[in-house]
Amino acid sequence: MGSGEVRTEGDVGGYNGDRQGLAIVTFDSTSGTVGGATRRIFVGTADNTAPSVYVSEDAGSSWDPVSDQLSAYFPHKAVFQPEEKALYLTYSDGTATWNDTTLVSGSDLYFGFGGIGVDMQNPGTVVVASLNSWWPDAQLFRSIDSGVTWSRVVCSFLSIPSLTVVFQAAKAPWIKTGFIDTDTKDLGWMIEAPVIDPLDSDHWLYSTGLTLFGAQHIDPVTRRRHRRVLRAGSCLGSGGGGGGELLAAVGDDSGFTFRDAAALQTSPQTPWMNPIWSTSSSVDYAGTSAEKFVRTGNSAGSQQVAVSSDGGESWNTYPGADSSMDGGMVAYSADAETVLWSTSTSGVQRSQYPTTFSSASSLPSGSVIAADKKNSAVFYAGSAASFYVSTDMGTSFSKSPIGSATAVRDIAAHPATEGDAWVSTDADIFHSTNYGSSFTKSEALVNTYQIALGRGTGDTWNIYAFGTGSAGTKLYGSVDNGATWTDIQGSQGFGSVDSCKLAGSGNVPGQVYSISIAKSSSKMARGSSHSHVVDQNGPGSAASSTFENIIKPVEATGGKTKCIDCGDFECCCIPCVVM
């Protein structure tokens, strides 16, 4: 089988920097079983030379190349239509099945093809999305004759660059304010999952790098109805501490501020703006000035640090930042005077407001960091098997080993007690009450990742952590300072725990927030240390927006249609000329 070695050696951290391996795994549901497993399986490797598509006829025990396959491109997505017994594939630099069904050609073919879906009720109906069509917008195509002919089923432009989309969505106003009003790409980008409802051929969905889109009526000559909801995925950092209930740094969607628990029940009006970055990488608050926050972004080439003095309602670019650094995680001193920044590109940096950043040379690149929430002079850091403490506002750090750990993964400073820090590692959880001079070990939970503290009953604080305990690898909570740990995740799924982010509420007793990072569909959840986590699906959630009671709109001027109320959300219909 191929090696899947399509990559660019110098593209460290980029699209092409990793060995991709298998790009496709698709099962033939009509092939029967072998020992309870599907007999015929197709896989595609990320190779742009043949063979790159293989088939197994014995449930994966052996593999053979599929005959007569393409050799110039590598396979990207595949879907099997059981009634046709047909395998459809998209390729990253073009698209084809074994009968070449390329949708466009010549100068119009300036993009690859990504997501693909088939209609299970109408064999021969296929929907394909463009990939990396960055301007003026993405494109979606549909065939009703197994790829012999195609039409643009959704187009936001009739002639480049004149756009014809009319959009409004009461359930997710932040999308229009932060993205639609500032970008040409109304339909989206990185479309990897167009899906036709197998029970209703007129109901279809597709996910993008921004959100989830839904529509009724896929026939190209009818009007499209779109809805948009928050893609709660790719959250890379979250924080909250007295000044606001939750601040969430979000991949592709900038970030959001929720001033109180009630605010989590409605979609934000805007994402983080001024500055707005496509992805925010981290956020932290000042422990003794809880209305003050700092955040970082990963959009290289511009200043990627911003501060707020009103609980995350408004932001200003941090004057000490330049355009050469981005990403990573940030820590804010208790008095909001010092910023410690573990960047993704330039090691650990320090700035005392409003001076420029300079290297914290005593810390290894990639260190996890945290600020003491009550003592403005103290910062904590961890890397490999070492724990670091600074008592001079991050100017210098002292180093010491931490138990049997070989990897410090996260540090949580106690919100109300100075010198109190919790450290998650690949071994155990370690707790210090004396600025890291000594640690006690919590042995009931091992191989831990994110750790957080949240308000408990009375004056107590709960500890939350992802790790391996009595119920397996899950989210646990402790109400007795780490002596015992209780599974609070239950049957709620979070995906891989090493990518989950965690924040305990500083205002609501027993409440904890987690966001998991997943491809296409991620979850924002709220839970209690006394019960299972409750899936909230994020603000403006798909669960609270339905397609029920959609009524036919009336015509408006300019060939467009009026936005109307559709059930409990607003939608718009887009007349789209078939090309």
Side-chain angles (χ1 to χ4, degrees):
M1 190 176 294
S3 60
E5 293 203 21
V6 171
R7 63 174 178 169
T8 302
E9 294 294 342
D11 189 22
V12 179
Y15 282 139
N16 303 315
D18 295 329
R19 180 174 287 116
Q20 299 300 313
L22 292 180
I24 293 169
V25 179
T26 302
F27 298 89
D28 179 353
S29 58
T30 70
S31 64
T33 61
V34 175
T38 302
R39 183 174 67 83
R40 182 177 298 118
I41 310 169
F42 299 95
V43 299
T45 64
D47 293 295
N48 55 6
T49 57
S52 59
V53 181
Y54 299 81
V55 62
S56 173
E57 299 286 355
D58 53 14
S61 295
S62 62
W63 298 89
D64 294 301
V66 174
S67 61
D68 300 324
Q69 60 184 275
L70 293 181
S71 60
Y73 316 111
F74 67 84
H76 187 75
K77 295 285 183 181
V79 61
F80 186 80
Q81 215 296 339
E83 292 296 322
E84 290 185 278
K85 295 187 181 295
L87 180 70
Y88 292 89
L89 295 99
T90 59
Y91 285 78
S92 64
D93 298 308
T95 188
T97 64
W98 272 242
N99 293 317
D100 190 343
T101 62
T102 301
L103 287 63
V104 292
S105 60
S107 61
D108 289 335
L109 187 58
Y110 59 88
F111 46 80
F113 293 90
I116 183 169
V118 297
D119 189 336
M120 292 300 181
Q121 293 194 28
N122 296 292
T125 297
V126 188
V127 177
V128 174
S130 62
L131 180 67
N132 291 351
S133 175
W134 296 112
W135 186 90
D137 208 338
Q139 299 183 49
L140 289 163
F141 301 86
R142 177 175 181 257
S143 173
I144 58 174
D145 53 14
S146 301
V148 176
T149 60
W150 296 87
S151 60
R152 285 185 174 90
V153 65
V154 171
C155 52
S156 71
F157 52 93
L158 298 180
S159 62
I160 297 174
S162 299
L163 302 183
T164 62
V165 170
V166 179
F167 166 70
Q168 186 176 6
K171 280 293 182 181
W174 59 270
I175 293 177
K176 183 172 182 359
T177 305
F179 298 94
I180 300 302
D181 287 350
T182 61
D183 200 327
T184 65
K185 294 183 287 297
D186 285 346
L187 297 182
W189 58 90
M190 304 296 285
I191 299 173
E192 295 284 12
V195 177
I196 301 172
D197 189 337
L199 302 179
D200 180 0
S201 296
D202 278 338
H203 178 203
W204 61 293
L205 301 167
Y206 69 92
S207 62
T208 77
L210 175 68
T211 187
L212 174 70
F213 291 65
Q216 292 281 47
H217 300 305
I218 198 169
D219 192 308
V221 300
T222 63
R223 305 186 190 280
R224 258 63 60 191
R225 298 170 172 89
H226 286 238
R227 68 167 180 177
R228 305 190 181 196
V229 297
L230 172 64
R231 173 179 179 255
S234 300
C235 179
L236 303 177
S238 55
E245 177 58 19
L246 181 70
L247 274 76
V250 182
D252 281 345
D253 295 348
S254 185
F256 301 92
T257 296
F258 305 95
R259 293 291 293 170
D260 50 41
L264 286 159
Q265 304 304 316
T266 58
S267 180
Q269 290 297 308
T270 66
W272 290 340
M273 305 281 288
N274 302 319
I276 183 171
W277 309 310
S278 59
T279 292
S280 296
S281 63
S282 182
V283 61
D284 194 23
Y285 70 98
T288 60
S289 301
E291 289 289 313
K292 296 182 178 180
F293 286 82
V294 63
R295 62 180 169 100
T296 55
N298 70 355
S299 300
S302 63
Q303 293 170 295
Q304 295 295 293
V305 184
V307 291
S308 173
S309 58
D310 58 6
E313 293 294 321
S314 64
W315 298 87
N316 295 291
T317 300
Y318 185 75
D322 62 27
S323 60
S324 66
M325 296 175 286
D326 61 86
M329 67 185 305
V330 69
Y332 215 5
S333 65
D335 60 3
E337 290 296 317
T338 306
V339 177
L340 190 67
W341 184 14
S342 183
T343 73
S344 62
T345 55
S346 304
V348 184
Q349 300 283 324
R350 172 193 177 273
S351 171
Q352 195 160 4
Y353 188 87
T355 60
T356 58
F357 281 92
S358 59
S359 175
S361 57
S362 52
L363 290 180
S365 179
S367 295
V368 296
I369 56 175
D372 191 280
K373 293 305 177 187
K374 292 300 177 182
N375 190 327
S376 300
V378 176
F379 285 90
Y380 307 108
S383 179
S386 297
F387 186 78
Y388 299 80
V389 179
S390 173
T391 59
D392 55 9
M393 295 173 288
T395 302
S396 63
F397 285 81
S398 60
K399 172 184 175 181
S400 62
I402 181 165
S404 59
T406 61
V408 175
R409 290 171 172 160
D410 195 25
I411 303 169
H414 197 292
T417 306
E418 66 177 270
D420 193 313
W422 293 80
V423 185
S424 70
T425 75
D426 61 342
D428 304 281
I429 288 178
F430 295 88
H431 180 211
S432 176
T433 58
N434 54 10
Y435 297 100
S437 295
S438 62
F439 288 91
T440 57
K441 182 170 64 174
S442 176
E443 297 181 333
L445 203 61
V446 300
N447 195 28
T448 53
Y449 291 89
Q450 279 267 304
I451 188 168
L453 282 80
R455 188 171 293 281
T457 57
D459 294 330
T460 66
W461 288 80
N462 298 340
I463 305 98
Y464 306 98
F466 281 100
T468 302
S470 59
T473 302
K474 287 189 169 185
L475 174 61
Y476 291 83
S478 175
V479 297
D480 54 11
N481 233 27
T484 60
W485 295 87
T486 301
D487 166 24
I488 62 171
Q489 179 175 334
S491 60
Q492 170 69 50
F494 284 114
S496 178
V497 300
D498 62 352
S499 65
C500 294
K501 303 302 177 181
L502 200 57
S505 174
N507 306 301
V508 182
Q511 190 146 291
V512 60
Y513 303 94
S514 177
I515 298 184
S516 61
I517 304 174
K519 295 179 180 178
S520 298
S521 111
S522 300
K523 296 179 179 178
M524 182 179 194
R526 180 184 71 182
S528 164
S529 59
H530 306 295
S531 65
H532 293 321
V533 173
V534 179
D535 180 14
Q536 292 298 108
N537 286 319
S541 68
S544 62
S545 298
T546 71
F547 288 113
E548 295 175 355
N549 302 320
I550 293 181
I551 58 176
K552 184 176 177 62
V554 297
E555 291 293 333
T557 60
K560 301 175 183 178
T561 54
K562 293 180 180 179
C563 292
I564 56 172
D565 287 332
C566 299
D568 62 350
F569 68 99
E570 290 182 348
C571 70
C572 272
C573 304
I574 307 170
C576 184
V577 174
V578 178
M579 297 183 179

